[in-house]
Amino acid sequence: MEPNTKGAATFYQYKLIKKINLTTAKLRIYIALPLLFVVLETIFLSWWSLLYMVVAAPVVLWVQYVISRSVLLITGHPIAKRWKVSLRLPWLGYMPDQYISYGIFRKVQLHNFWIGLCIAALFIVWAPPAFTTSLAICHLWLLLPRLYTLLRLRRDDESGMLKFNPADVSYYAQ
């Protein structure tokens, strides 16, 4: 490749602005939350709550996948090779595999949050209260690390880029 003689950058230079660390203590609390909620749900609603939670988890993962993918397709953002289903904690579900624009990530997750809660609320009419509660708990639990990231970055510029690693989230800007 020939060097650029005009002095212009051939690719964007991004600078690390903020790193949000996910400590082992936070991860342990995150892992313990569904267990706590299953126990509380079993005590206060129904002993079927354990089964409902096991059924609700894949349903919520699928609903979040459909919502995320739909938002990305409707808004015209490329998906191929950029988003994958992740099975590593705390980033379970449909997550960006590469650097992603903060604005796009924010849009997808906020749509995911509200539409997912509305879908869980629709089950109030047809399903037992313990199943509806399990859907809502699984939905919020899966989104908790993403919402924590959005909360920590709420005052930052939407034109930045995010990179998700197993133990942290990095926010870059030009």
Side-chain angles (χ1 to χ4, degrees):
M1 187 168 172
E2 294 179 24
N4 189 351
T5 56
K6 295 181 181 178
T10 57
F11 58 92
Y12 290 111
Q13 299 290 328
Y14 286 97
K15 178 181 169 187
L16 179 62
I17 303 298
K18 189 182 282 189
K19 192 172 216 173
I20 302 168
N21 291 320
L22 302 170
T23 63
T24 54
K26 288 178 187 174
L27 285 175
R28 286 182 183 150
I29 291 170
Y30 177 69
I31 293 168
L33 281 176
L35 301 173
L36 172 71
F37 282 116
V38 165
V39 169
L40 291 174
E41 214 178 321
T42 304
I43 292 170
F44 292 112
L45 292 176
S46 167
W47 64 272
W48 285 91
S49 295
L50 181 62
L51 175 67
Y52 291 148
M53 192 70 81
V54 170
V55 171
V59 170
V60 168
L61 277 170
W62 179 78
V63 167
Q64 289 183 359
Y65 170 79
V66 170
I67 294 169
S68 298
R69 193 156 169 91
S70 298
V71 169
L72 289 167
L73 287 171
I74 289 169
T75 57
H77 297 290
I79 301 171
K81 298 182 183 177
R82 292 188 184 199
W83 289 73
K84 283 187 176 178
V85 175
S86 171
L87 297 176
R88 61 182 178 175
L89 284 173
W91 311 116
L92 292 171
Y94 200 53
M95 288 292 295
D97 191 39
Q98 303 174 2
Y99 290 90
I100 187 75
S101 166
Y102 170 60
I104 294 169
F105 180 76
R106 184 173 178 266
K107 181 184 295 188
V108 169
Q109 298 313 319
L110 290 178
H111 277 86
N112 218 342
F113 176 73
W114 290 112
I115 295 171
L117 279 181
C118 290
I119 290 171
L122 287 174
F123 278 86
I124 290 174
V125 178
W126 298 291
F131 182 68
T132 305
T133 306
S134 294
L135 281 174
I137 288 170
C138 282
H139 176 68
L140 293 173
W141 182 75
L142 287 171
L143 287 179
L144 186 64
R146 302 169 204 180
L147 295 175
Y148 175 71
T149 301
L150 292 177
L151 184 67
R152 294 282 309 267
L153 296 173
R154 71 183 178 277
R155 291 192 179 108
D156 292 320
D157 188 23
E158 283 192 28
S159 64
M161 301 292 278
L162 293 173
K163 176 66 175 161
F164 292 90
N165 300 310
D168 63 56
V169 178
S170 301
Y171 175 74
Y172 296 90
Q174 283 186 346

